[in-house]
Amino acid sequence: MKVVIMPAYNEEQTVGAVAASVRPLVDAVFVIDDGSTDRTAVVARAAGAHVLSHVINRGLGAAIQTGIVAARRAGADIAVTFDADGQHRAEDIPRMCAPIEVDEADVVLGCRTVDRGQMPLVRRLCNVGGNALTFLLFGLWVKDSQSGLRAFNRHALASLALSCDRMEVSSEIVKEIHARHLRLVEVPIAPVYTKYSLSKGQSLTVGIATAAKLLLNKVMG
Amino acid sequence: MSILQIVVVIFVLFALTRTVKKFRDGGLALVWFLVWLCVWGAIGVVVVLPQTSQMFARLIGVGRGVDAAVYVAIIGLFYVVFRIFLRLERIEHDISSLVRHLSLRDGGVDSRVSAHEPHDKSPQQ
């Protein structure tokens, strides 16, 4: 069974189209409505997604954790995390799942490869900084530690022990991959950068706050 | 005794009675009861006998008693802030767990508890 986990916060503009685009490729789409104040849940449900709603906003990490629990309970063999803002392409899902289906990987991370001119400089700096910090803290170098497109097999879903509620969850996933000795394959993907999708995701301020939180968590053990 | 010393002594006595009452009501663990007894007691002693702070300052190699008191207070406050931070982290984690439980229940996801439910990574206090 293959499922998509789609965290969404105030994404009524895009979640319907995104959920509808991935629905034919998987057995179920779990949209985690993270305390949205717009019609995200209604739109997602109309597009054929199974919606799980947080009564209050808890953050990307909390939404992903809810999706992982839902995937486990549904008995998923493969779970793909997929952004609701239209940044990811549905056609990348088969390529993401392929290494798992031939048992070459437990986790597949989508690595954004894009012309330098497309990704804003600040976003590129945040990505490089995120990769470097993730490597320094957790000992695993990945080409795109902050990518939201990931695939997990059943073993990885059962092994992951996540605790971060906010955007630092991306680095925590890398930490878990390393700590639990999960087999990792990185697959190149081409993100879709629109004005809307660029307005989402990590700004420099959020990136700095995420880095500070990761450092603090490391110190606190 | 100065007015300030009298006021502080009264406050310390009040704080001591509140601490004892809290312990008797079961709202304070023995360890913390003893810690707070020492804290209030030390404040009372230093206020009534200021020369004790000077003795303590000489003991730890600091010039003045009031400096030693400030250094100890700052260290103590940092520790309290650290404990509060841990507590907040725990509360945030619990809120997320509760919100998750509600969303899964209301979303009708199969509620079978599998052998692989998420590990509880609550921050240690």
Side-chain angles (χ1 to χ4, degrees):
Chain A
M1 182 185 187
K2 203 181 292 181
V3 305
V4 158
I5 296 169
M6 191 178 297
Y9 176 62
N10 288 345
E11 302 278 15
E12 65 176 358
Q13 289 184 49
T14 53
V15 69
V18 175
S21 72
V22 302
R23 184 66 186 86
L25 301 171
V26 295
D27 298 296
V29 177
F30 289 112
V31 169
I32 319 304
D33 167 28
D34 188 25
S36 299
T37 55
D38 64 4
R39 299 174 66 248
T40 293
V42 170
V43 172
R45 202 168 281 121
H50 192 119
V51 178
L52 302 172
S53 291
H54 286 176
V55 291
I56 54 175
N57 177 255
R58 298 307 300 160
L60 174 67
I64 287 177
Q65 289 178 61
T66 298
I68 286 175
V69 173
R72 284 173 182 156
R73 291 184 179 181
D77 300 297
I78 301 177
V80 179
T81 63
F82 200 94
D83 286 356
D85 60 2
Q87 190 186 141
H88 296 145
R89 300 173 195 265
E91 50 263 39
D92 284 331
I93 288 180
R95 290 196 305 112
M96 292 288 294
C97 296
I100 291 176
E101 285 164 342
V102 297
D103 200 22
E104 285 179 359
D106 299 311
V107 181
V108 178
L109 293 184
C111 168
R112 286 168 290 187
T113 56
V114 66
D115 291 336
R116 294 174 80 83
Q118 270 191 282
M119 190 187 288
L121 176 63
V122 167
R123 190 67 63 92
R124 286 208 309 274
L125 287 173
C126 283
N127 280 350
V128 171
N131 292 345
L133 187 62
T134 301
F135 172 68
L136 282 169
L137 291 177
F138 308 126
L140 181 64
W141 178 265
V142 298
K143 293 175 194 152
D144 193 355
S145 60
Q146 308 304 305
S147 171
L149 187 57
R150 317 172 189 88
F152 306 95
N153 68 1
R154 185 188 281 261
H155 170 61
L157 285 174
S159 304
L160 289 174
L162 304 176
S163 63
C164 292
D165 278 351
R166 302 282 166 186
M167 289 201 166
E168 60 270 16
V169 71
S170 295
S171 294
E172 191 186 25
I173 287 172
V174 174
K175 172 193 161 196
E176 285 293 295
I177 291 169
H178 186 55
R180 312 240 172 236
H181 309 291
L182 300 174
R183 297 169 299 164
L184 171 66
V185 166
E186 294 178 88
V187 168
I189 59 170
V192 179
Y193 283 124
T194 61
K195 198 173 172 185
Y196 179 81
S197 68
L198 283 173
S199 69
K200 300 285 180 165
Q202 295 202 43
S203 64
L204 182 60
T205 314
V206 170
I208 290 171
T210 301
K213 191 77 191 294
L214 283 168
L215 283 165
L216 197 57
N217 284 345
K218 181 71 173 175
V219 167
M220 306 280 285
Chain B
M1 279 177 104
S2 69
I3 293 175
L4 177 64
Q5 284 175 301
I6 294 171
V7 166
V8 173
V9 167
I10 291 172
F11 175 77
V12 165
L13 289 172
F14 169 75
L16 278 170
T17 54
R18 298 295 298 174
T19 303
V20 169
K21 184 177 185 309
K22 197 79 176 168
F23 175 67
R24 280 190 177 154
D25 291 344
L28 195 61
L30 175 63
V31 167
W32 286 108
F33 169 64
L34 293 173
V35 167
W36 283 111
L37 273 187
C38 291
V39 169
W40 298 127
I43 293 173
V45 165
V46 168
V47 165
V48 172
L49 299 169
Q51 60 271 29
T52 53
S53 67
Q54 192 60 36
M55 285 165 49
F56 176 69
R58 274 202 298 272
L59 187 66
I60 64 172
V62 175
R64 300 183 306 165
V66 67
D67 291 342
V70 168
Y71 296 152
V72 169
I74 287 173
I75 291 169
L77 284 171
F78 265 115
Y79 180 70
V80 168
V81 167
F82 172 67
R83 296 285 307 193
I84 291 173
F85 176 81
L86 286 179
R87 187 85 176 150
L88 282 174
E89 286 286 292
R90 174 79 207 203
I91 290 170
E92 291 281 349
H93 175 85
D94 288 346
I95 290 173
S96 289
S97 293
L98 182 59
V99 167
R100 179 166 308 118
H101 172 77
L102 291 173
S103 70
L104 290 165
R105 184 196 66 183
D106 297 342
V109 177
D110 185 0
S111 60
R112 279 175 299 129
V113 176
S114 73
H116 302 292
E117 281 295 281
H119 309 281
D120 184 359
K121 277 189 71 174
S122 313
Q124 297 300 314
Q125 287 195 335

